[in-house]
Amino acid sequence: TSPTAVTHSIADDDSNCLKTSGVRSQDCPSHSRTSLQSSHLWEFVRDLLLSPEENCGILEWEDREQGIFRVVKSEALAKMWGQRKKNDRMTYEKLSRALRYYYKTGILERVDRRLVYKFGKNAHGWQEDKL
DNA sequence: CGATTCTTTCCTGATT
DNA sequence: TAATCAGGAAAGAATC
């Protein structure tokens, strides 16, 4: 019954993007491994931004030249960070607090737009080919 | 062990 | 209204 099988969600939550899909298990020979090994939050974000395979639309460059990026899926980002730190209580609210502390150290610079951040002078390794 | 740095948790209030 | 943003404060974790 209930003929209203009106599909599932269009946006479907991204609980886990890579896996359960027809994604070949062996695509990227180089790096990969469903977890980026970066000790610090900003490095984790940077590496995620630099590896589309793991990113799955969670982060997106707004201006690659200037290092401006946007958090597209805040909840998903928090979950990934939580996985990395083995903390399932992580939320975007808490993650963003840590991100705001980076403004003081120059790792990030403030951008007056929701969910948008920019790498600062003290952040490195995000540029196409710095130097 | 103590100090420092980074992150997490919580909170109140403002803004979108 | 629900999300986000702003920071202060304090606790926790990892390092040196």
Side-chain angles (χ1 to χ4, degrees):
Chain A
T1 58
S2 64
T4 45
V6 184
T7 108
H8 17 327
S9 37
I10 300 172
D12 63 32
D13 42 2
D14 42 62
S15 308
N16 33 9
C17 28
L18 35 78
K19 74 174 26 174
T20 64
S21 297
V23 181
R24 290 164 158 46
S25 11
Q26 311 176 344
D27 255 337
C28 10
S30 302
H31 45 287
S32 72
R33 203 88 261 163
T34 39
S35 51
L36 302 171
Q37 213 54 74
S38 341
S39 50
H40 294 149
L41 177 57
W42 75 270
E43 297 175 310
F44 177 79
V45 169
R46 175 198 63 191
D47 297 345
L48 211 47
L49 224 27
L50 262 34
S51 53
E53 283 73 34
E54 314 291 347
N55 191 313
C56 16
I58 289 177
L59 293 173
E60 179 179 286
W61 285 109
E62 282 259 318
D63 189 319
R64 187 61 207 273
E65 306 290 288
Q66 297 190 67
I68 300 174
F69 60 94
R70 184 170 80 257
V71 178
V72 181
K73 301 178 181 178
S74 58
E75 286 183 54
L77 177 62
K79 284 177 183 172
M80 286 193 82
W81 176 236
Q83 284 176 43
R84 174 69 190 65
K85 298 289 292 295
K86 296 192 185 317
N87 175 2
D88 54 340
R89 280 105 49 196
M90 184 49 59
T91 64
Y92 178 70
E93 270 286 292
K94 293 186 284 190
L95 184 157
S96 62
R97 180 68 188 91
L99 249 31
R100 289 195 290 277
Y101 270 130
Y102 284 139
Y103 295 146
K104 287 186 181 304
T105 56
I107 293 294
L108 292 180
E109 283 177 25
R110 186 167 292 161
V111 173
D112 182 43
R113 270 184 277 153
R114 282 191 150 196
L115 301 169
V116 179
Y117 299 86
K118 171 180 178 176
F119 286 118
K121 316 176 183 59
N122 298 326
H124 55 269
W126 56 270
Q127 295 182 73
E128 208 84 84
D129 52 9
K130 174 72 175 195
L131 300 184

